[in-house]
Amino acid sequence: MKNTLSAQAAASLYDAVMLKDNHIAAAGSITQAVKKVRAALGHMTMIEVEVETEAQLHEAIEARPDTIMFDNQTPETMRRWAQLVPESIRTEASGGIDLEKLAHYRDTGVDVISIGALTHSVSNLDMSMNLSISPKEVLTT
C-alpha cells in the first residue's frame, strides 16, 4: 500500500463523483452510470465506483473509473480483488474499518484505506475562552 493514509482522494466534495449502489441502480448498471457521469462532467472529474460483489468488480474494471472502492469486505477478499484490478485504476478499502482494524487491511494491496470513524464518529470538544477585564483596564486601552 502506498503511504496515502493521510491524503485526501479529492480536495473537496465537488472534485469527484462517488457512484454508490442507488446511483448504479438508477442508471441501470455500473457501466451506464460511469458513461453518464463521463458524458456530463468530462474526463477531468474523478469517478469512484463502490462494489460489493465480484461481479460488480469485473463490471467496474471494464467501465474504467478512476477508483474502485471495495465496500464492507474482509481483508482476504480485498487482497484477492486488488490483484484483479489494473494498476491504472486506484483501489480503496472502505466500510467498518477503524483504527483497531487498520493493521488487518494494510497489506491487502489496496491503494487507499478509508476510516469513516474519523468523520462520523468523532467526539466533540467543548471549549470556551472567557476574558476577565476590569473596567479600569478597558478605560486605559
Side-chain angles (χ1 to χ4, degrees), residues 34-69:
V34 171
K35 281 183 181 178
K36 288 178 181 184
V37 170
R38 287 263 189 252
L41 301 178
H43 70 282
M44 295 297 289
T45 300
M46 289 182 50
I47 300 174
E48 180 166 359
V49 174
E50 174 187 82
V51 298
E52 296 175 334
T53 68
E54 192 164 338
Q56 289 176 334
L57 172 62
H58 289 292
E59 184 181 358
I61 291 168
E62 291 297 316
R64 311 289 299 173
D66 300 287
T67 304
I68 298 175
M69 177 202 298

PDB file of all heavy atoms in Angstrom, residues 34-69:
ATOM      1  N   VAL A  34     -21.136   5.098 -15.096  1.00  0.00           N
ATOM      2  CA  VAL A  34     -19.848   5.720 -15.419  1.00  0.00           C
ATOM      3  C   VAL A  34     -19.949   6.484 -16.735  1.00  0.00           C
ATOM      4  O   VAL A  34     -19.465   7.623 -16.840  1.00  0.00           O
ATOM      5  CB  VAL A  34     -18.717   4.663 -15.461  1.00  0.00           C
ATOM      6  CG1 VAL A  34     -17.425   5.259 -16.002  1.00  0.00           C
ATOM      7  CG2 VAL A  34     -18.495   4.075 -14.068  1.00  0.00           C
ATOM      8  N   LYS A  35     -20.599   5.903 -17.742  1.00  0.00           N
ATOM      9  CA  LYS A  35     -20.754   6.584 -19.038  1.00  0.00           C
ATOM     10  C   LYS A  35     -21.514   7.894 -18.882  1.00  0.00           C
ATOM     11  O   LYS A  35     -21.138   8.911 -19.466  1.00  0.00           O
ATOM     12  CB  LYS A  35     -21.489   5.681 -20.030  1.00  0.00           C
ATOM     13  CG  LYS A  35     -20.632   4.620 -20.652  1.00  0.00           C
ATOM     14  CD  LYS A  35     -21.439   3.819 -21.671  1.00  0.00           C
ATOM     15  CE  LYS A  35     -20.582   2.723 -22.294  1.00  0.00           C
ATOM     16  NZ  LYS A  35     -21.348   1.905 -23.246  1.00  0.00           N
ATOM     17  N   LYS A  36     -22.590   7.877 -18.101  1.00  0.00           N
ATOM     18  CA  LYS A  36     -23.399   9.087 -17.916  1.00  0.00           C
ATOM     19  C   LYS A  36     -22.610  10.185 -17.204  1.00  0.00           C
ATOM     20  O   LYS A  36     -22.689  11.355 -17.584  1.00  0.00           O
ATOM     21  CB  LYS A  36     -24.682   8.755 -17.150  1.00  0.00           C
ATOM     22  CG  LYS A  36     -25.677   7.968 -17.976  1.00  0.00           C
ATOM     23  CD  LYS A  36     -26.920   7.615 -17.188  1.00  0.00           C
ATOM     24  CE  LYS A  36     -27.872   6.807 -18.056  1.00  0.00           C
ATOM     25  NZ  LYS A  36     -29.124   6.516 -17.366  1.00  0.00           N
ATOM     26  N   VAL A  37     -21.851   9.827 -16.201  1.00  0.00           N
ATOM     27  CA  VAL A  37     -21.058  10.826 -15.478  1.00  0.00           C
ATOM     28  C   VAL A  37     -19.973  11.390 -16.383  1.00  0.00           C
ATOM     29  O   VAL A  37     -19.756  12.603 -16.437  1.00  0.00           O
ATOM     30  CB  VAL A  37     -20.460  10.236 -14.179  1.00  0.00           C
ATOM     31  CG1 VAL A  37     -19.450  11.190 -13.557  1.00  0.00           C
ATOM     32  CG2 VAL A  37     -21.561   9.917 -13.196  1.00  0.00           C
ATOM     33  N   ARG A  38     -19.272  10.520 -17.112  1.00  0.00           N
ATOM     34  CA  ARG A  38     -18.215  10.989 -18.025  1.00  0.00           C
ATOM     35  C   ARG A  38     -18.801  11.929 -19.083  1.00  0.00           C
ATOM     36  O   ARG A  38     -18.200  12.960 -19.402  1.00  0.00           O
ATOM     37  CB  ARG A  38     -17.526   9.818 -18.718  1.00  0.00           C
ATOM     38  CG  ARG A  38     -16.620   9.030 -17.839  1.00  0.00           C
ATOM     39  CD  ARG A  38     -15.164   9.443 -17.978  1.00  0.00           C
ATOM     40  NE  ARG A  38     -14.332   8.497 -17.271  1.00  0.00           N
ATOM     41  CZ  ARG A  38     -13.714   8.752 -16.130  1.00  0.00           C
ATOM     42  NH1 ARG A  38     -13.801   9.931 -15.572  1.00  0.00           N
ATOM     43  NH2 ARG A  38     -12.980   7.834 -15.550  1.00  0.00           N
ATOM     44  N   ALA A  39     -19.965  11.586 -19.620  1.00  0.00           N
ATOM     45  CA  ALA A  39     -20.584  12.429 -20.647  1.00  0.00           C
ATOM     46  C   ALA A  39     -20.997  13.784 -20.070  1.00  0.00           C
ATOM     47  O   ALA A  39     -20.869  14.813 -20.726  1.00  0.00           O
ATOM     48  CB  ALA A  39     -21.791  11.711 -21.252  1.00  0.00           C
ATOM     49  N   ALA A  40     -21.485  13.779 -18.837  1.00  0.00           N
ATOM     50  CA  ALA A  40     -21.972  15.022 -18.231  1.00  0.00           C
ATOM     51  C   ALA A  40     -20.851  15.906 -17.691  1.00  0.00           C
ATOM     52  O   ALA A  40     -20.925  17.131 -17.785  1.00  0.00           O
ATOM     53  CB  ALA A  40     -22.956  14.692 -17.108  1.00  0.00           C
ATOM     54  N   LEU A  41     -19.806  15.302 -17.126  1.00  0.00           N
ATOM     55  CA  LEU A  41     -18.795  16.078 -16.418  1.00  0.00           C
ATOM     56  C   LEU A  41     -17.417  16.065 -17.060  1.00  0.00           C
ATOM     57  O   LEU A  41     -16.538  16.824 -16.650  1.00  0.00           O
ATOM     58  CB  LEU A  41     -18.688  15.585 -14.967  1.00  0.00           C
ATOM     59  CG  LEU A  41     -19.976  15.677 -14.152  1.00  0.00           C
ATOM     60  CD1 LEU A  41     -19.767  15.123 -12.756  1.00  0.00           C
ATOM     61  CD2 LEU A  41     -20.490  17.099 -14.093  1.00  0.00           C
ATOM     62  N   GLY A  42     -17.199  15.208 -18.034  1.00  0.00           N
ATOM     63  CA  GLY A  42     -15.925  15.197 -18.741  1.00  0.00           C
ATOM     64  C   GLY A  42     -14.860  14.353 -18.067  1.00  0.00           C
ATOM     65  O   GLY A  42     -15.043  13.815 -16.978  1.00  0.00           O
ATOM     66  N   HIS A  43     -13.735  14.284 -18.723  1.00  0.00           N
ATOM     67  CA  HIS A  43     -12.651  13.401 -18.281  1.00  0.00           C
ATOM     68  C   HIS A  43     -11.854  13.934 -17.088  1.00  0.00           C
ATOM     69  O   HIS A  43     -11.083  13.205 -16.482  1.00  0.00           O
ATOM     70  CB  HIS A  43     -11.696  13.129 -19.450  1.00  0.00           C
ATOM     71  CG  HIS A  43     -10.881  14.323 -19.841  1.00  0.00           C
ATOM     72  ND1 HIS A  43     -11.400  15.346 -20.596  1.00  0.00           N
ATOM     73  CD2 HIS A  43      -9.609  14.664 -19.546  1.00  0.00           C
ATOM     74  CE1 HIS A  43     -10.469  16.271 -20.771  1.00  0.00           C
ATOM     75  NE2 HIS A  43      -9.374  15.881 -20.145  1.00  0.00           N
ATOM     76  N   MET A  44     -12.026  15.192 -16.735  1.00  0.00           N
ATOM     77  CA  MET A  44     -11.254  15.776 -15.632  1.00  0.00           C
ATOM     78  C   MET A  44     -11.866  15.489 -14.257  1.00  0.00           C
ATOM     79  O   MET A  44     -11.219  15.695 -13.237  1.00  0.00           O
ATOM     80  CB  MET A  44     -11.115  17.286 -15.820  1.00  0.00           C
ATOM     81  CG  MET A  44     -10.306  17.666 -17.040  1.00  0.00           C
ATOM     82  SD  MET A  44      -8.605  17.092 -16.957  1.00  0.00           S
ATOM     83  CE  MET A  44      -7.962  18.177 -15.708  1.00  0.00           C
ATOM     84  N   THR A  45     -13.102  15.023 -14.216  1.00  0.00           N
ATOM     85  CA  THR A  45     -13.751  14.708 -12.945  1.00  0.00           C
ATOM     86  C   THR A  45     -13.470  13.261 -12.580  1.00  0.00           C
ATOM     87  O   THR A  45     -13.732  12.353 -13.366  1.00  0.00           O
ATOM     88  CB  THR A  45     -15.278  14.934 -13.043  1.00  0.00           C
ATOM     89  OG1 THR A  45     -15.511  16.302 -13.371  1.00  0.00           O
ATOM     90  CG2 THR A  45     -15.965  14.598 -11.729  1.00  0.00           C
ATOM     91  N   MET A  46     -12.916  13.060 -11.389  1.00  0.00           N
ATOM     92  CA  MET A  46     -12.634  11.699 -10.928  1.00  0.00           C
ATOM     93  C   MET A  46     -13.930  10.964 -10.599  1.00  0.00           C
ATOM     94  O   MET A  46     -14.842  11.553 -10.015  1.00  0.00           O
ATOM     95  CB  MET A  46     -11.744  11.733  -9.686  1.00  0.00           C
ATOM     96  CG  MET A  46     -10.328  12.163  -9.967  1.00  0.00           C
ATOM     97  SD  MET A  46      -9.285  12.145  -8.486  1.00  0.00           S
ATOM     98  CE  MET A  46      -9.609  10.532  -7.828  1.00  0.00           C
ATOM     99  N   ILE A  47     -13.979   9.696 -10.989  1.00  0.00           N
ATOM    100  CA  ILE A  47     -15.146   8.860 -10.712  1.00  0.00           C
ATOM    101  C   ILE A  47     -14.700   7.680  -9.856  1.00  0.00           C
ATOM    102  O   ILE A  47     -13.753   6.978 -10.197  1.00  0.00           O
ATOM    103  CB  ILE A  47     -15.800   8.347 -12.007  1.00  0.00           C
ATOM    104  CG1 ILE A  47     -16.261   9.518 -12.873  1.00  0.00           C
ATOM    105  CG2 ILE A  47     -16.963   7.411 -11.684  1.00  0.00           C
ATOM    106  CD1 ILE A  47     -16.781   9.108 -14.234  1.00  0.00           C
ATOM    107  N   GLU A  48     -15.409   7.478  -8.763  1.00  0.00           N
ATOM    108  CA  GLU A  48     -15.175   6.330  -7.887  1.00  0.00           C
ATOM    109  C   GLU A  48     -16.431   5.477  -7.870  1.00  0.00           C
ATOM    110  O   GLU A  48     -17.537   5.991  -7.759  1.00  0.00           O
ATOM    111  CB  GLU A  48     -14.851   6.797  -6.471  1.00  0.00           C
ATOM    112  CG  GLU A  48     -14.590   5.666  -5.513  1.00  0.00           C
ATOM    113  CD  GLU A  48     -13.945   6.121  -4.214  1.00  0.00           C
ATOM    114  OE1 GLU A  48     -13.681   7.330  -4.050  1.00  0.00           O
ATOM    115  OE2 GLU A  48     -13.700   5.256  -3.360  1.00  0.00           O
ATOM    116  N   VAL A  49     -16.252   4.161  -8.001  1.00  0.00           N
ATOM    117  CA  VAL A  49     -17.369   3.225  -8.011  1.00  0.00           C
ATOM    118  C   VAL A  49     -17.259   2.306  -6.808  1.00  0.00           C
ATOM    119  O   VAL A  49     -16.213   1.707  -6.566  1.00  0.00           O
ATOM    120  CB  VAL A  49     -17.388   2.381  -9.311  1.00  0.00           C
ATOM    121  CG1 VAL A  49     -18.464   1.306  -9.252  1.00  0.00           C
ATOM    122  CG2 VAL A  49     -17.594   3.262 -10.525  1.00  0.00           C
ATOM    123  N   GLU A  50     -18.354   2.187  -6.069  1.00  0.00           N
ATOM    124  CA  GLU A  50     -18.425   1.285  -4.927  1.00  0.00           C
ATOM    125  C   GLU A  50     -18.869  -0.090  -5.422  1.00  0.00           C
ATOM    126  O   GLU A  50     -19.844  -0.190  -6.172  1.00  0.00           O
ATOM    127  CB  GLU A  50     -19.450   1.838  -3.934  1.00  0.00           C
ATOM    128  CG  GLU A  50     -19.751   0.943  -2.761  1.00  0.00           C
ATOM    129  CD  GLU A  50     -20.890   1.494  -1.940  1.00  0.00           C
ATOM    130  OE1 GLU A  50     -22.058   1.279  -2.322  1.00  0.00           O
ATOM    131  OE2 GLU A  50     -20.610   2.144  -0.924  1.00  0.00           O
ATOM    132  N   VAL A  51     -18.144  -1.146  -5.023  1.00  0.00           N
ATOM    133  CA  VAL A  51     -18.541  -2.508  -5.389  1.00  0.00           C
ATOM    134  C   VAL A  51     -18.670  -3.357  -4.142  1.00  0.00           C
ATOM    135  O   VAL A  51     -17.933  -3.188  -3.173  1.00  0.00           O
ATOM    136  CB  VAL A  51     -17.557  -3.170  -6.391  1.00  0.00           C
ATOM    137  CG1 VAL A  51     -17.520  -2.390  -7.693  1.00  0.00           C
ATOM    138  CG2 VAL A  51     -16.163  -3.314  -5.810  1.00  0.00           C
ATOM    139  N   GLU A  52     -19.646  -4.272  -4.188  1.00  0.00           N
ATOM    140  CA  GLU A  52     -19.892  -5.157  -3.055  1.00  0.00           C
ATOM    141  C   GLU A  52     -19.817  -6.627  -3.441  1.00  0.00           C
ATOM    142  O   GLU A  52     -19.853  -7.487  -2.566  1.00  0.00           O
ATOM    143  CB  GLU A  52     -21.259  -4.839  -2.441  1.00  0.00           C
ATOM    144  CG  GLU A  52     -21.325  -3.427  -1.861  1.00  0.00           C
ATOM    145  CD  GLU A  52     -22.706  -3.048  -1.368  1.00  0.00           C
ATOM    146  OE1 GLU A  52     -23.702  -3.620  -1.886  1.00  0.00           O
ATOM    147  OE2 GLU A  52     -22.795  -2.188  -0.492  1.00  0.00           O
ATOM    148  N   THR A  53     -19.735  -6.919  -4.747  1.00  0.00           N
ATOM    149  CA  THR A  53     -19.643  -8.302  -5.211  1.00  0.00           C
ATOM    150  C   THR A  53     -18.538  -8.418  -6.256  1.00  0.00           C
ATOM    151  O   THR A  53     -18.147  -7.413  -6.869  1.00  0.00           O
ATOM    152  CB  THR A  53     -20.964  -8.778  -5.852  1.00  0.00           C
ATOM    153  OG1 THR A  53     -21.167  -8.063  -7.076  1.00  0.00           O
ATOM    154  CG2 THR A  53     -22.149  -8.579  -4.909  1.00  0.00           C
ATOM    155  N   GLU A  54     -18.093  -9.629  -6.500  1.00  0.00           N
ATOM    156  CA  GLU A  54     -17.056  -9.820  -7.507  1.00  0.00           C
ATOM    157  C   GLU A  54     -17.594  -9.535  -8.908  1.00  0.00           C
ATOM    158  O   GLU A  54     -16.863  -9.016  -9.763  1.00  0.00           O
ATOM    159  CB  GLU A  54     -16.469 -11.234  -7.431  1.00  0.00           C
ATOM    160  CG  GLU A  54     -15.213 -11.357  -8.256  1.00  0.00           C
ATOM    161  CD  GLU A  54     -14.386 -12.575  -7.931  1.00  0.00           C
ATOM    162  OE1 GLU A  54     -14.507 -13.130  -6.821  1.00  0.00           O
ATOM    163  OE2 GLU A  54     -13.580 -12.963  -8.803  1.00  0.00           O
ATOM    164  N   ALA A  55     -18.859  -9.809  -9.142  1.00  0.00           N
ATOM    165  CA  ALA A  55     -19.460  -9.483 -10.445  1.00  0.00           C
ATOM    166  C   ALA A  55     -19.436  -7.970 -10.674  1.00  0.00           C
ATOM    167  O   ALA A  55     -19.114  -7.503 -11.775  1.00  0.00           O
ATOM    168  CB  ALA A  55     -20.893 -10.015 -10.523  1.00  0.00           C
ATOM    169  N   GLN A  56     -19.751  -7.196  -9.646  1.00  0.00           N
ATOM    170  CA  GLN A  56     -19.685  -5.742  -9.751  1.00  0.00           C
ATOM    171  C   GLN A  56     -18.249  -5.294  -9.989  1.00  0.00           C
ATOM    172  O   GLN A  56     -18.009  -4.360 -10.751  1.00  0.00           O
ATOM    173  CB  GLN A  56     -20.224  -5.076  -8.486  1.00  0.00           C
ATOM    174  CG  GLN A  56     -21.705  -5.194  -8.299  1.00  0.00           C
ATOM    175  CD  GLN A  56     -22.169  -4.591  -6.978  1.00  0.00           C
ATOM    176  OE1 GLN A  56     -21.406  -4.513  -6.008  1.00  0.00           O
ATOM    177  NE2 GLN A  56     -23.419  -4.162  -6.941  1.00  0.00           N
ATOM    178  N   LEU A  57     -17.311  -5.948  -9.346  1.00  0.00           N
ATOM    179  CA  LEU A  57     -15.901  -5.609  -9.528  1.00  0.00           C
ATOM    180  C   LEU A  57     -15.499  -5.772 -10.991  1.00  0.00           C
ATOM    181  O   LEU A  57     -14.886  -4.877 -11.576  1.00  0.00           O
ATOM    182  CB  LEU A  57     -15.018  -6.482  -8.636  1.00  0.00           C
ATOM    183  CG  LEU A  57     -13.511  -6.358  -8.873  1.00  0.00           C
ATOM    184  CD1 LEU A  57     -13.026  -4.944  -8.595  1.00  0.00           C
ATOM    185  CD2 LEU A  57     -12.757  -7.373  -8.030  1.00  0.00           C
ATOM    186  N   HIS A  58     -15.853  -6.887 -11.599  1.00  0.00           N
ATOM    187  CA  HIS A  58     -15.494  -7.116 -13.003  1.00  0.00           C
ATOM    188  C   HIS A  58     -16.132  -6.078 -13.926  1.00  0.00           C
ATOM    189  O   HIS A  58     -15.494  -5.583 -14.855  1.00  0.00           O
ATOM    190  CB  HIS A  58     -15.868  -8.536 -13.421  1.00  0.00           C
ATOM    191  CG  HIS A  58     -14.991  -9.580 -12.793  1.00  0.00           C
ATOM    192  ND1 HIS A  58     -13.660  -9.729 -13.100  1.00  0.00           N
ATOM    193  CD2 HIS A  58     -15.271 -10.507 -11.843  1.00  0.00           C
ATOM    194  CE1 HIS A  58     -13.145 -10.708 -12.387  1.00  0.00           C
ATOM    195  NE2 HIS A  58     -14.107 -11.199 -11.602  1.00  0.00           N
ATOM    196  N   GLU A  59     -17.393  -5.738 -13.655  1.00  0.00           N
ATOM    197  CA  GLU A  59     -18.050  -4.710 -14.464  1.00  0.00           C
ATOM    198  C   GLU A  59     -17.374  -3.355 -14.270  1.00  0.00           C
ATOM    199  O   GLU A  59     -17.165  -2.607 -15.232  1.00  0.00           O
ATOM    200  CB  GLU A  59     -19.538  -4.607 -14.120  1.00  0.00           C
ATOM    201  CG  GLU A  59     -20.251  -3.612 -15.018  1.00  0.00           C
ATOM    202  CD  GLU A  59     -21.723  -3.439 -14.706  1.00  0.00           C
ATOM    203  OE1 GLU A  59     -22.256  -4.103 -13.803  1.00  0.00           O
ATOM    204  OE2 GLU A  59     -22.344  -2.594 -15.404  1.00  0.00           O
ATOM    205  N   ALA A  60     -17.016  -3.036 -13.033  1.00  0.00           N
ATOM    206  CA  ALA A  60     -16.344  -1.755 -12.755  1.00  0.00           C
ATOM    207  C   ALA A  60     -14.998  -1.686 -13.467  1.00  0.00           C
ATOM    208  O   ALA A  60     -14.641  -0.647 -14.024  1.00  0.00           O
ATOM    209  CB  ALA A  60     -16.176  -1.564 -11.246  1.00  0.00           C
ATOM    210  N   ILE A  61     -14.255  -2.770 -13.469  1.00  0.00           N
ATOM    211  CA  ILE A  61     -12.963  -2.787 -14.168  1.00  0.00           C
ATOM    212  C   ILE A  61     -13.174  -2.486 -15.649  1.00  0.00           C
ATOM    213  O   ILE A  61     -12.432  -1.687 -16.242  1.00  0.00           O
ATOM    214  CB  ILE A  61     -12.248  -4.144 -13.970  1.00  0.00           C
ATOM    215  CG1 ILE A  61     -11.797  -4.298 -12.513  1.00  0.00           C
ATOM    216  CG2 ILE A  61     -11.063  -4.274 -14.920  1.00  0.00           C
ATOM    217  CD1 ILE A  61     -11.344  -5.703 -12.143  1.00  0.00           C
ATOM    218  N   GLU A  62     -14.177  -3.065 -16.244  1.00  0.00           N
ATOM    219  CA  GLU A  62     -14.477  -2.809 -17.661  1.00  0.00           C
ATOM    220  C   GLU A  62     -14.921  -1.369 -17.896  1.00  0.00           C
ATOM    221  O   GLU A  62     -14.636  -0.794 -18.953  1.00  0.00           O
ATOM    222  CB  GLU A  62     -15.545  -3.782 -18.169  1.00  0.00           C
ATOM    223  CG  GLU A  62     -15.072  -5.221 -18.274  1.00  0.00           C
ATOM    224  CD  GLU A  62     -13.935  -5.379 -19.276  1.00  0.00           C
ATOM    225  OE1 GLU A  62     -14.004  -4.806 -20.374  1.00  0.00           O
ATOM    226  OE2 GLU A  62     -12.958  -6.083 -18.922  1.00  0.00           O
ATOM    227  N   ALA A  63     -15.617  -0.768 -16.932  1.00  0.00           N
ATOM    228  CA  ALA A  63     -16.122   0.606 -17.076  1.00  0.00           C
ATOM    229  C   ALA A  63     -15.007   1.640 -16.905  1.00  0.00           C
ATOM    230  O   ALA A  63     -15.174   2.795 -17.281  1.00  0.00           O
ATOM    231  CB  ALA A  63     -17.242   0.866 -16.071  1.00  0.00           C
ATOM    232  N   ARG A  64     -13.878   1.254 -16.317  1.00  0.00           N
ATOM    233  CA  ARG A  64     -12.684   2.098 -16.173  1.00  0.00           C
ATOM    234  C   ARG A  64     -12.906   3.390 -15.366  1.00  0.00           C
ATOM    235  O   ARG A  64     -12.526   4.477 -15.821  1.00  0.00           O
ATOM    236  CB  ARG A  64     -12.084   2.450 -17.527  1.00  0.00           C
ATOM    237  CG  ARG A  64     -11.880   1.305 -18.498  1.00  0.00           C
ATOM    238  CD  ARG A  64     -10.808   0.362 -18.165  1.00  0.00           C
ATOM    239  NE  ARG A  64      -9.503   1.003 -18.105  1.00  0.00           N
ATOM    240  CZ  ARG A  64      -8.422   0.384 -17.687  1.00  0.00           C
ATOM    241  NH1 ARG A  64      -8.492  -0.865 -17.310  1.00  0.00           N
ATOM    242  NH2 ARG A  64      -7.268   0.999 -17.649  1.00  0.00           N
ATOM    243  N   PRO A  65     -13.447   3.305 -14.149  1.00  0.00           N
ATOM    244  CA  PRO A  65     -13.478   4.508 -13.313  1.00  0.00           C
ATOM    245  C   PRO A  65     -12.061   4.811 -12.834  1.00  0.00           C
ATOM    246  O   PRO A  65     -11.141   4.015 -13.045  1.00  0.00           O
ATOM    247  CB  PRO A  65     -14.377   4.095 -12.146  1.00  0.00           C
ATOM    248  CG  PRO A  65     -14.100   2.631 -12.009  1.00  0.00           C
ATOM    249  CD  PRO A  65     -13.919   2.130 -13.428  1.00  0.00           C
ATOM    250  N   ASP A  66     -11.889   5.932 -12.172  1.00  0.00           N
ATOM    251  CA  ASP A  66     -10.575   6.278 -11.620  1.00  0.00           C
ATOM    252  C   ASP A  66     -10.249   5.457 -10.379  1.00  0.00           C
ATOM    253  O   ASP A  66      -9.098   5.120 -10.137  1.00  0.00           O
ATOM    254  CB  ASP A  66     -10.524   7.773 -11.288  1.00  0.00           C
ATOM    255  CG  ASP A  66     -10.768   8.605 -12.536  1.00  0.00           C
ATOM    256  OD1 ASP A  66      -9.862   8.662 -13.383  1.00  0.00           O
ATOM    257  OD2 ASP A  66     -11.869   9.159 -12.674  1.00  0.00           O
ATOM    258  N   THR A  67     -11.289   5.158  -9.595  1.00  0.00           N
ATOM    259  CA  THR A  67     -11.115   4.409  -8.344  1.00  0.00           C
ATOM    260  C   THR A  67     -12.237   3.401  -8.192  1.00  0.00           C
ATOM    261  O   THR A  67     -13.389   3.695  -8.518  1.00  0.00           O
ATOM    262  CB  THR A  67     -11.132   5.357  -7.122  1.00  0.00           C
ATOM    263  OG1 THR A  67     -10.134   6.367  -7.296  1.00  0.00           O
ATOM    264  CG2 THR A  67     -10.895   4.623  -5.816  1.00  0.00           C
ATOM    265  N   ILE A  68     -11.895   2.224  -7.675  1.00  0.00           N
ATOM    266  CA  ILE A  68     -12.897   1.232  -7.292  1.00  0.00           C
ATOM    267  C   ILE A  68     -12.781   1.037  -5.789  1.00  0.00           C
ATOM    268  O   ILE A  68     -11.708   0.737  -5.274  1.00  0.00           O
ATOM    269  CB  ILE A  68     -12.698  -0.113  -8.022  1.00  0.00           C
ATOM    270  CG1 ILE A  68     -12.858   0.077  -9.536  1.00  0.00           C
ATOM    271  CG2 ILE A  68     -13.692  -1.152  -7.498  1.00  0.00           C
ATOM    272  CD1 ILE A  68     -12.562  -1.177 -10.353  1.00  0.00           C
ATOM    273  N   MET A  69     -13.904   1.235  -5.103  1.00  0.00           N
ATOM    274  CA  MET A  69     -13.958   1.081  -3.654  1.00  0.00           C
ATOM    275  C   MET A  69     -14.536  -0.293  -3.316  1.00  0.00           C
ATOM    276  O   MET A  69     -15.642  -0.627  -3.724  1.00  0.00           O
ATOM    277  CB  MET A  69     -14.844   2.144  -3.010  1.00  0.00           C
ATOM    278  CG  MET A  69     -14.974   1.978  -1.503  1.00  0.00           C
ATOM    279  SD  MET A  69     -16.430   2.774  -0.816  1.00  0.00           S
ATOM    280  CE  MET A  69     -16.108   4.467  -1.215  1.00  0.00           C
TER     281      MET A  69
END
